[in-house]
Amino acid sequence: MHIETLSEHVCFGGVQGFYRHESQVIGLPMRFSIYQPPQAQHGPVPVLFYLAGLTCTEETFMIKAGAQRFAAQHGIMLVAPDTSPRNTGIADVDKDWDFGTAAGFYVNATQEPWNQHFRMHDYVAHELRELVLAEFPAKTDRIGIFGHSMGGHGALMLGLRHPKIYRSVSAFAPIAAPMQSPWGTKAFEGYLGPDRSSWEAYDATALIEQGAYAADKSTILIDQGLADKHLGLQLLPHLFEAACRAAGQPLNLRMHEGYDHGYYFISSFIEDHIAHHARLLG
């Protein structure tokens, strides 16, 4: 599969790259970024997928999180896809910041016109993963996933739906119960239609309640800022925590005084998340 290199930069002895390819799943060009640690020069390394939040792109995490330093220390490859298809030609696709462009919610849309291109679940879990494993020095059986906000929802959901793919899961300030969140209900109704039963496959709390677990019942790490203005209405980690407790899914939910929803918060705890995945990916 042809990959177009947009730019590459030496970073902590490794290579930070930005790329584009023609996606068969999306039906449009998609951009993604990869950090290859210095260890990748000598053979395959574990790979960690990061899913960004609303309004973000494939660049946001690589520029703002400061993750490359710790990925280089642990020998982990970082992969960040874009957050939605671009240039779809769909009417009003850019009208709302929390739906449409940069707001794919990592679901496979079933409703017109979104189902033409908005198939982010299959793109992340299958096409992009297979592309990375085929074209970059990544270990095929050492894959983890994490994300922030909308991407935290995506990471929890994908990790629970595909425990044989993702051996480690974590999230920063995830939309942890999207069926009970205004952001989530708006996205799910638009992409998936009014039948709420079809939403459950994309709701991490519902998945836990239905018997899903992380790989080997490994601990899920979540960091959440207590000064996050979205905590009470949109993110709802206490609902996910209650579901995990009832189901016996190990969860390390850490609440932090003073931290908000942005990348200053993420960069403060990114070292812990990289170490969490390094332990589980081996």
Side-chain angles (χ1 to χ4, degrees):
M1 185 178 295
H2 176 68
I3 298 174
E4 179 185 359
T5 300
L6 302 176
S7 67
E8 290 184 331
H9 317 271
V10 174
C11 182
F12 292 104
V15 178
Q16 175 61 61
F18 298 92
Y19 308 96
R20 179 167 51 206
H21 75 115
E22 293 287 340
S23 168
Q24 300 303 308
V25 167
I26 301 298
L28 293 166
M30 288 292 290
R31 294 184 182 226
F32 63 98
S33 58
I34 292 186
Y35 175 67
Q36 299 180 65
Q39 295 87 341
Q41 299 169 21
H42 308 291
V45 295
V47 58
L48 180 54
F49 285 79
Y50 177 87
L51 306 182
L54 293 164
T55 75
C56 294
T57 73
E58 76 287 349
E59 293 184 320
T60 311
F61 171 75
M62 298 301 187
I63 292 172
K64 291 186 174 183
Q68 293 93 337
R69 176 191 300 271
F70 308 110
Q73 290 174 5
H74 289 283
I76 289 180
M77 182 182 297
L78 302 173
V79 181
D82 201 352
T83 50
S84 81
R86 306 275 172 169
N87 303 311
T88 61
I90 297 173
D92 296 326
V93 70
D94 299 322
K95 183 178 70 171
D96 296 333
W97 68 273
D98 56 356
F99 183 79
T101 299
F105 269 83
Y106 305 101
V107 306
N108 289 339
T110 59
Q111 303 299 298
E112 292 283 356
W114 309 101
N115 59 353
Q116 299 172 37
H117 300 296
F118 278 68
R119 302 185 57 80
M120 291 298 293
H121 169 278
D122 283 1
Y123 176 70
V124 173
H126 302 300
E127 186 179 32
L128 180 61
R129 175 178 60 89
E130 292 165 6
L131 175 66
V132 170
L133 295 180
E135 301 295 335
F136 294 87
K139 289 186 175 180
T140 59
D141 61 345
R142 293 292 185 271
I143 302 172
I145 192 164
F146 68 150
H148 170 234
S149 194
M150 176 185 73
H153 137 73
L156 295 176
M157 176 268 294
L158 284 161
L160 292 170
R161 284 184 59 165
H162 304 286
K164 292 184 179 180
I165 293 176
Y166 303 107
R167 296 172 59 98
S168 58
V169 183
S170 73
F172 295 94
I175 305 172
M179 290 178 65
Q180 301 177 66
S181 155
W183 280 339
T185 55
K186 177 178 180 177
F188 286 1
E189 185 161 1
Y191 294 135
L192 304 174
D195 180 5
R196 292 178 65 91
S197 65
S198 69
W199 302 3
E200 294 175 355
Y202 296 107
D203 183 300
T205 298
L207 288 168
I208 290 286
E209 292 171 345
Q210 293 171 359
Y213 294 98
D216 302 322
K217 281 196 175 181
S218 59
T219 299
I220 297 172
L221 171 62
I222 294 179
D223 279 307
Q224 173 64 59
L226 287 170
D228 187 329
K229 65 181 181 180
H230 304 299
L231 175 57
L233 181 64
Q234 302 283 11
L235 305 180
L236 310 175
H238 64 285
L239 299 180
F240 185 72
E241 181 182 32
C244 287
R245 185 183 303 114
Q249 164 60 53
L251 173 68
N252 183 11
L253 173 60
R254 309 192 305 181
M255 310 295 282
H256 303 279
E257 289 283 353
Y259 286 91
D260 62 20
H261 195 66
Y263 271 82
Y264 297 115
F265 159 62
I266 293 172
S267 62
S268 298
F269 299 102
I270 190 66
E271 181 177 11
D272 293 350
H273 282 249
I274 300 293
H276 166 81
H277 290 278
R279 284 192 296 273
L280 291 172
L281 296 177

